[in-house]
Amino acid sequence: MSGGLGIIALESFAESAKRIDKILCEWRSADSFLIECICPRFSSGEGKAVLKESVREKDIFILVDVCNNSIKYKFDGEYNRMSPDDHYADLKRVIGACNGKARSITVVMPFLYESRQHRKVLRESLDCALMLRELELLGVDNLITFDAHDPRMQNVLPLNGIENISPTLQFTQALLTEYDDIEIDSEHLLVIAPDEGATERAVFLSSVYGVNLGMFYKRRDYSRVVDGMNPIIAHDFCGGDISGMDAIVIDDMIVSGKSMLDVCRQLKDRGAKRVFIFATFGLFSYGFNEFDEAYENGFFEKIFTTNLIYQKKELLSKEYYYSVNMNRYIASAIDTLNRGKSMYKLVRPQDRIKEVIAEYKAKDV
């Protein structure tokens, strides 16, 4: 073991952290690695972080879910939902409370804060890069994130450890556990990138599965700006005949879902047998009505997202939803870094995915 281990979970990640801690304790025959932390607020609305025990000479892992909008704080007599900005401010407070005494600090931030503002157009702020540089200045040694919106954000900190982990292994296991009739070959299955930004993750999955790839191109109206973006005019499909084939649409997140559902509809119109959706983060910011309607119309078969961020209770009750549990994988990442071992097999699990597929196919022999 490289050094002592300590886990600090912000309130946004508290429940998952307890399960991750339990897994690590089972592996290491320990009682608990959790270090209690609170972030109280003054009557002015300002906050602070307080650690209840020492972090001296420990490898500290700080867990935060910047998307958890279920947490509220009281200010001026009213309750306010915590935004990603609020969660990030608390993260910085916790790092400050460690006060340079920890052996190392690793931030576990599954949804990378400001990852959607990863590039600059005209007079815009470059928030993701600013956040990463700020964490570097605060003394953070490593950052663990999952399926970053743009993996090139690692270039901001060439001398620091940034582990961008793909959950494709867990998606594969979930799909093959839920369905026993998936034929994984180029004649019966293909992987779909819903837009240009999802191409890299779609290429990786299709290559490991040994199936073909299709892609949709988003045509935008660059003469207008709506809600800070150029509106989408249409989704144009780039690919061959998909009649009678199962399709996996893979992306990093579902926000409104309008683009994703339009892609699913077009795939069904083109003759796809079933459409499965893999999305690491299911925000569903505009509710579920459109998803309910699309499911009733047969546009998709099942949605798979992870428990890496807060999941709405309504989502968990949906017939078409499958929650992919990532707690053990986070525990593995913490254990691996703390022991000073390579993260490669966790970050790019292609060999393990191939093993899972081979075992699945062997059942039918």
Side-chain angles (χ1 to χ4, degrees), residues 291-310:
F291 287 92
D292 293 345
E293 184 179 347
Y295 179 66
E296 290 173 3
N297 290 331
F299 293 163
F300 68 88
E301 176 79 13
K302 187 78 75 173
I303 297 176
F304 298 82
T305 76
T306 71
N307 68 336
L308 289 168
I309 61 171
Y310 169 71

Side-chain angles (χ1 to χ4, degrees), residues 3-6 8 35 51-60 97-105:
L5 172 61
I8 301 174
I35 295 173
L51 302 181
K52 295 301 184 74
E53 62 181 90
S54 174
V55 299
R56 190 179 296 275
E57 292 304 311
K58 291 181 179 179
D59 291 330
I60 296 298
C98 291
N99 199 26
K101 300 298 192 297
R103 178 190 177 99
S104 68
I105 295 178

